[in-house]
Amino acid sequence: MNQPSLSPGVADALLFDLGRVVLDLDFSRTLRLWSSHAGCEPARLMERFSRDELYKRHERGEISDQVFFTGLRSSLGIDISDAQFLDGWNAIFVGEIPGMRQLLARAARGLPLYAFSNTNVPHVEYFSTEFSGLLSHFREIFVSSKIGLRKPDAEAYDHVVKAIGLPPHRIVFFDDLAENIAGAQACGLTAVQVTSPEDVARALAALDI
């Protein structure tokens, strides 16, 4: 993995993805709860689950939770209630990525922090409450379901960059997915792919933060 060359003074803001960068996620927890409600094996649901256009429309806020869960009822072949779907849906959140609270506090002392996540309304409602202290380090959190745009689409990055009000090359972006890193780089941002908190720590050290 080729990481960008960073040095003191090259950034005016830091932009973080949330899932698997700041917050730990485990989709197997979701599948286990759904399968428990439905009386089937999690592996069966894993085979059938897809991040398809319905999933993306839900993340862009174009369809309601009810419509999304109705689609899942069909694609997964299970008949559980919307409340049971929601129960499993929010079970994906494990907690904070170890060490990220300290890294964000450190980073916020040097530069303004922002977050940008592909996520849906139920997840936003959940993590905004459960992790409010951790997320308070961010001046603003941009979510796909509110702005109607998803990474890695160029329009999504352009929207966020414009809202932050800085040239894209002065923003360092942290994300775990290669496709989101490539999309950010194509829009002029400096992008760091995150596989562990150490990647963030090294970037902050290179920026002299």
Side-chain angles (χ1 to χ4, degrees):
M1 179 178 59
N2 294 322
Q3 297 287 31
S5 177
L6 300 174
S7 59
V10 302
D12 292 321
L14 305 180
L15 178 64
F16 289 82
D17 177 35
L18 292 179
R20 298 190 174 91
V21 174
V22 175
L23 301 176
D24 193 11
L25 307 179
D26 183 357
F27 190 57
S28 69
R29 291 159 53 101
T30 293
L31 296 176
R32 285 197 299 271
L33 262 180
W34 285 348
S35 63
S36 175
H37 290 315
C40 65
E41 291 299 317
R44 170 189 160 191
L45 303 187
M46 187 63 188
E47 290 173 358
R48 297 184 177 187
F49 185 84
S50 172
R51 288 175 173 80
D52 55 11
E53 188 56 32
L54 190 75
Y55 176 93
K56 293 175 182 176
R57 291 186 67 201
H58 189 228
E59 280 199 336
R60 290 193 297 263
E62 296 172 357
I63 60 173
S64 67
D65 302 335
Q66 183 179 24
V67 170
F68 179 58
F69 292 149
T70 296
L72 285 178
R73 209 170 272 118
S74 175
S75 62
L76 299 179
I78 57 176
D79 188 18
I80 64 176
S81 68
D82 285 359
Q84 289 171 325
F85 268 119
L86 184 62
D87 182 36
W89 193 236
N90 285 336
I92 193 172
F93 293 99
V94 177
E96 301 177 12
I97 295 284
M100 281 305 299
R101 178 180 288 267
Q102 293 81 4
L103 287 172
L104 291 178
R106 167 183 161 190
R109 289 193 291 268
L111 292 172
L113 309 187
Y114 299 88
F116 179 24
S117 180
N118 285 347
T119 190
N120 51 83
V121 172
H123 282 174
V124 174
E125 293 175 347
Y126 183 87
F127 68 61
S128 296
T129 299
E130 291 296 314
F131 306 105
S132 58
L134 177 68
L135 300 178
S136 66
H137 292 296
F138 298 110
R139 291 194 178 185
E140 188 168 356
I141 298 175
F142 302 95
V143 295
S144 59
S145 54
K146 183 174 182 179
I147 68 175
L149 300 164
R150 293 177 76 254
K151 298 174 289 185
D153 295 341
E155 294 83 0
Y157 297 106
D158 290 343
H159 176 97
V160 170
V161 168
K162 182 178 180 180
I164 292 174
L166 292 170
H169 70 277
R170 300 293 299 177
I171 301 170
V172 177
F173 173 62
F174 298 88
D175 199 288
D176 63 309
L177 296 180
E179 64 181 22
N180 292 341
I181 293 295
Q185 290 172 333
C187 291
L189 287 87
T190 301
V192 176
Q193 189 168 2
V194 177
T195 60
S196 73
E198 284 69 34
D199 293 316
V200 177
R202 281 191 290 270
L204 296 183
L207 293 167
D208 196 23
I209 296 174

